[in-house]
Amino acid sequence: MFARHLDRDIDPQVHRHLGPLVAARLASNSCYRFLPPFIATVAADFDVSVSRIGIAVTVGEAAGLLAPVVGKAVDRLPRRTAILLGAWGVVGSVILASASPSIAVLAAAMRVFGIAMILLDSSTMAWIYDRGPYERRGAVVGIVEKTWELGMLVGVLAMGIVAELASWRWGFGAGGAAALVAAAVLVASMPG
């Protein structure tokens, strides 16, 4: 699907695996952007103030401080391993967050989620960078980075519809289910 937007001289592996990588990034970015618009709904579900839920979300955001450490891990791991660890980390943490019985569990899940996002994002970019010279990467990176906008436009909208029909937990869980499918496709499609 994305190959038609890329020049033919780009590495064939990029053509072959770009779709699954985009799907994984779209699912993870959708999940990443889901909670803030629904923070009041989440607070009501836990019967706490919005600021208390905000703290749980902040704990997840603070995972960004670990980016240098995660980046070093990405440099040491095989790219496929790092990508899959990030993808499965997103799945597990989102499902845990959606089923969390307490704010403490939600905060812990969001912390793991933040680390998994850094791992997935940085390893995906490293995999792309490994497969072509600098001047040829722009189109590939541009396609992958569109998942940030599409995560809000498509993913959060779809998850929000589920949340409206059921609850924020089901909405977030739907994002986790999408991430699960994307991770399974990555496992099946990326070479070992």
Side-chain angles (χ1 to χ4, degrees):
M1 174 163 96
F2 297 103
R4 66 180 179 194
H5 299 289
L6 301 176
D7 293 335
R8 293 178 193 261
D9 63 344
I10 293 200
D11 186 328
Q13 284 191 38
V14 173
H15 283 273
R16 194 168 33 258
H17 304 300
L18 188 59
L21 287 169
V22 166
R25 289 282 303 267
L26 178 59
S28 66
N29 282 323
S30 298
C31 292
Y32 183 78
R33 299 186 78 184
F34 176 75
L35 274 186
F38 294 91
I39 201 163
T41 305
V42 176
D45 183 54
F46 281 107
D47 195 27
V48 297
S49 68
V50 169
S51 62
R52 292 211 41 216
I53 295 299
I55 291 169
V57 173
T58 301
V59 166
E61 292 289 330
L65 297 172
L66 298 173
V69 175
V70 175
K72 285 184 181 192
V74 167
D75 286 340
R76 283 190 227 119
L77 291 170
R79 300 293 189 232
R80 179 182 188 270
T81 301
I83 289 169
L84 295 179
L85 281 173
W88 288 116
V90 167
V91 171
S93 60
V94 169
I95 290 172
L96 178 61
S98 66
S100 57
S102 69
I103 297 173
V105 173
L106 177 65
M110 294 310 295
R111 180 60 163 232
V112 172
F113 177 68
I115 294 167
M117 281 287 298
I118 296 166
L119 185 58
L120 178 61
D121 290 352
S122 59
S123 59
T124 299
M125 289 297 113
W127 184 87
I128 291 167
Y129 298 159
D130 290 345
R131 278 157 183 76
Y134 178 79
E135 61 275 0
R136 307 299 301 150
R137 297 180 199 151
V140 179
V141 171
I143 289 169
V144 172
E145 288 303 322
K146 287 293 179 205
T147 61
W148 181 249
E149 295 88 6
L150 289 173
M152 187 62 140
L153 183 65
V154 176
V156 173
L157 176 63
M159 294 163 70
I161 290 169
V162 173
E164 177 64 27
L165 296 173
S167 75
W168 74 270
R169 292 175 184 275
W170 283 101
F172 208 27
L180 175 66
V181 170
V185 170
L186 276 173
V187 167
S189 72
M190 290 198 80

